[in-house]
Amino acid sequence: MTDPRAKDIEKLRHSGDFDVVVVGGGINGIGTFRDLALQGLRVLLVEREDFCSGCSAAPSRMIHGGLRYLENGEFNLVRESLFERDALLKNAPHMVFPLPTAVPVNSVFSGLLNTSMSFLGMKGRPRPRGIVPVKLGLSLYDLLTRKRRVLPPHRVFSRKQALARWPELSPGLRFAAVYHDAWISHPERLAVELVLDAEAGNGHAVALNYATITPRGTGFTVTDTETGEVLDISARVVVNATGAWLDETTESLGAKASGKLVSGTKGSHLILDNPALMEALRGHMVYFENTDGRVCIVFPYLGKVLAGATDIRVKQAGRVRCEADERDYILDSLRLIFPRLAISAEDIVYSYSGIRPLPVADVEFTGRISREHFTRRFDGPVPQFCMVGGKWTTFRAFAEQTTDMVLAELGIPRRASTRELPIGGGKGDQPAVHDRRSELYGSRAPQVPPGEEKIAGSDLTVGEVRFLISHEKARRLADVLQRRQPLAITGQLTGPVISATAHAMAGILGWDAARIRSETSSFAAELVNYHGVNPAILEE
């Protein structure tokens, strides 16, 4: 098999002149890369690791309108988020699904004054919310989508009705409300599909993972970190989409900002194997307040249970993991809302953590920091557009906003919209048979080679590994087992599966024995050190 990466590198060797270079392959950078490519521009995406492997790989996996943003008075953000939620339900039906959500409530009027003060700009810690402010918020949520409703409106249940539906909830509740948002099954896969769509629609669009960019004179060099090859490129505009690393990247790419733009918070989540908790949820997410006023979530996810999240300030961008105190915080929150269930750290099969790249804000309570997004232009040898803030749900709108600014800079009119554009396997009719492949690939499932030798101990096949390398830009073990397949996050990895996958990749990419050892040992260490996986499970 010809290495598909060689074709991408050859394109840069042949012509390194681009209209736009997007730096950062998280969801915002990828969304912008796709939008720019649709406008017919020569565009290059450079990501130093794998696509969607940093903060964008650590979301709540909710696609939501942002109910709690209403309390901050961010009505435009909620309106935009609800529109984008509904668009993703339509454009990515193979990965984005409705999520009925239960909100347990313990009082009637509590938090009403606090909510009113929030609208006036008060940014303190919220009080527990009673059914009156909750219903007001949900009514407004429904009002914002009344003209294009695709999900059911909210309902309110009495204590008796709520406990009949969810008997394991805390008996102290007085009401429960139910509304609908959405969830995403495989966010990292959706990001890769956006990359593939961009390249398929524009032969002058190139996306490189495992590459770095450095200024040189009035241009740049791109280094292929797999081979060390250095290539000269030029660009008329740079888009800085490096998220939590945005401030340091701005300067390293030759522009000077007037001050710090990003001040992130750390969010950690747990994946639990607890059948009793799964049963207690009755197919719903439970959206509830912890004792400190922070919102927590728990919902069924790919046969397991996803729970989170923390919201802790970080002073500097870097690699993060779910620490013991965060783990205990999340577990204690679950025991608070489901007091009769046995929930322990032994139920955890996987954990993950990321830094939310939020705008700088002078507020004490992190929940009050805006989730808004905006783009700033800075002068330099090459004009630089910096993407600040944003979240998974609104990536398309944020990309559209940034693309429009770039087009104005270049004096080029927009010629295509992404608003109703299906993504990857969301195009066309979905497979009639719902199985593992249709869940992962949607309408692209027939492209995946069927019936080949399975990787021992898993449903993954050698042919599928070859497909992920040749068609989805996978280069390393983590790319295959952690991002393009859900084996890691659902606790299905074992030492034999990792070893067999490494040998299959070696046969395709030409790895020698030393590279196989390096890949398996580094990936196992990653799972143990950053994702809380039991090392005993990973032994061969």
Side-chain angles (χ1 to χ4, degrees):
M1 182 192 82
T2 302
D3 188 347
R5 184 179 180 84
K7 296 180 181 179
D8 290 336
I9 297 297
E10 181 56 34
K11 286 184 179 180
L12 268 67
R13 290 196 199 103
H14 177 71
S15 176
D17 297 327
F18 290 92
D19 296 309
V20 187
V21 172
V22 179
V23 183
I27 187 58
N28 290 325
I30 287 172
T32 305
F33 172 71
R34 178 184 70 147
D35 203 337
L36 290 166
L38 283 170
Q39 313 317 316
L41 299 179
R42 292 183 57 87
V43 55
L44 170 67
L45 173 65
V46 180
E47 165 56 44
R48 65 183 176 184
E49 300 294 336
D50 187 26
F51 304 117
C52 209
S53 62
C55 305
S56 294
S60 66
R61 284 162 166 76
M62 292 169 58
I63 299 297
H64 64 109
L67 177 62
R68 70 182 179 86
Y69 307 155
L70 290 172
E71 194 171 74
N72 293 347
E74 297 182 290
F75 301 111
N76 288 336
L77 175 60
V78 175
R79 184 181 292 106
E80 177 185 70
S81 298
L82 288 169
F83 180 91
E84 296 302 324
R85 177 201 70 184
D86 295 348
L88 278 168
L89 283 165
K90 179 182 178 181
N91 295 334
H94 58 315
M95 292 191 200
V96 180
F97 310 95
L99 179 61
T101 301
V103 185
V105 182
N106 297 329
S107 65
V108 179
F109 294 105
S110 177
L112 186 58
L113 177 61
N114 184 267
T115 299
S116 301
M117 297 301 287
S118 297
F119 291 159
L120 299 175
M122 303 295 288
K123 300 299 182 182
R125 187 179 298 273
R127 293 191 59 195
R129 299 144 180 101
I131 192 61
V132 172
V134 167
K135 182 165 180 58
L136 285 172
L138 291 175
S139 296
L140 183 54
Y141 216 56
D142 290 341
L143 184 65
L144 291 172
T145 57
R146 69 191 184 282
K147 294 182 179 178
R148 48 173 179 79
R149 186 177 306 285
V150 298
L151 295 174
H154 82 278
R155 298 176 63 191
V156 174
F157 299 94
S158 67
R159 177 181 184 276
K160 181 178 180 180
Q161 291 170 324
L163 290 177
R165 284 172 167 256
W166 301 281
E168 301 300 336
L169 280 176
S170 172
L173 69 80
R174 296 182 63 182
F175 306 92
V178 171
Y179 72 100
H180 283 71
D181 261 325
W183 69 286
I184 181 169
S185 56
H186 309 289
E188 301 95 329
R189 286 200 52 76
L190 193 68
V192 169
E193 289 191 347
L194 289 164
V195 169
L196 301 179
D197 285 352
E199 291 188 328
N202 182 342
H204 298 295
V206 181
L208 278 182
N209 50 358
Y210 300 107
T212 59
I213 184 169
T214 306
R216 175 184 287 179
T218 57
F220 303 90
T221 62
V222 169
T223 301
D224 175 2
T225 58
E226 290 208 331
T227 64
E229 182 176 359
V230 178
L231 300 145
D232 289 319
I233 67 164
S234 65
R236 299 166 66 189
V237 169
V238 169
V239 173
N240 180 350
T242 55
W245 288 265
L246 182 136
D247 288 310
E248 60 188 66
T249 306
T250 302
E251 187 172 350
S252 72
L253 292 177
K256 290 190 177 181
S258 55
K260 191 174 174 64
L261 293 172
V262 173
S263 177
T265 68
K266 176 188 176 188
S268 294
H269 298 77
L270 306 177
I271 305 294
L272 302 108
D273 186 2
N274 186 313
L277 178 58
M278 171 73 91
E279 175 65 22
L281 293 170
R282 301 293 195 273
H284 287 63
M285 179 172 81
V286 177
Y287 178 96
F288 63 99
E289 291 176 278
N290 206 343
T291 54
D292 61 357
R294 299 187 191 281
V295 171
C296 295
I297 58 169
V298 55
F299 65 95
Y301 179 74
L302 302 182
K304 300 294 189 292
V305 174
L306 188 155
T310 58
D311 197 12
I312 301 169
R313 284 190 183 276
V314 292
K315 294 182 179 179
Q316 186 174 355
R319 191 67 193 278
V320 293
R321 64 185 180 185
C322 180
E323 302 292 351
D325 58 337
E326 295 176 274
R327 175 201 66 202
D328 295 342
Y329 175 90
I330 297 171
L331 292 175
D332 287 345
S333 76
L334 297 177
R335 298 183 187 113
L336 174 72
I337 202 70
F338 291 108
R340 291 191 290 267
L341 295 184
I343 302 171
S344 74
E346 294 180 357
D347 299 331
I348 301 169
V349 298
Y350 189 85
S351 64
Y352 63 91
S353 187
I355 299 175
R356 305 176 184 95
L358 305 179
V360 168
D362 184 20
V363 296
E364 177 184 352
F365 184 64
T366 54
R368 297 293 196 197
I369 301 175
S370 174
R371 266 52 175 180
E372 267 285 9
H373 54 76
F374 57 87
T375 306
R376 289 285 182 269
R377 180 194 184 281
F378 295 107
D379 288 323
V382 178
Q384 186 177 148
F385 291 83
C386 296
M387 302 180 73
V388 182
K391 59 195 185 85
W392 247 97
T393 303
T394 56
F395 80 83
R396 190 211 64 83
F398 195 7
E400 182 178 70
Q401 168 191 314
T402 305
T403 296
D404 285 342
M405 293 178 68
V406 170
L407 291 174
E409 177 80 17
L410 298 177
I412 298 173
R414 173 177 283 277
R415 73 182 197 185
S417 172
T418 58
R419 288 196 172 200
E420 298 183 5
L421 190 64
I423 300 169
K427 300 172 185 174
D429 295 331
Q430 296 301 299
V433 178
H434 184 74
D435 56 14
R436 172 184 163 277
R437 291 200 175 194
S438 65
E439 177 186 302
L440 288 171
Y441 304 101
S443 61
R444 296 175 64 234
Q447 301 174 26
V448 184
E452 294 203 27
E453 176 189 355
K454 284 190 174 182
I455 299 293
S458 77
D459 290 328
L460 184 64
T461 68
V462 173
E464 198 169 355
V465 171
R466 187 181 301 110
F467 177 84
L468 298 176
I469 292 170
S470 62
H471 289 79
E472 295 195 352
K473 298 180 181 282
R475 306 299 300 172
R476 299 181 184 173
L477 265 175
D479 304 348
V480 170
L481 296 175
Q482 197 170 15
R483 285 179 285 278
R484 287 156 185 77
Q485 297 285 311
L487 296 176
I489 198 169
T490 53
Q492 299 179 64
L493 284 184
T494 63
V497 170
I498 293 173
S499 178
T501 305
H503 281 83
M505 293 183 73
I508 300 165
L509 292 172
W511 293 350
D512 58 17
R515 178 65 186 269
I516 293 173
R517 288 193 298 271
S518 172
E519 283 284 333
T520 53
S521 62
S522 63
F523 182 48
E526 166 90 4
L527 293 172
V528 172
N529 295 331
Y530 289 100
H531 299 287
V533 176
N534 185 345
I537 295 174
L538 303 179
E539 295 177 359
E540 292 194 52

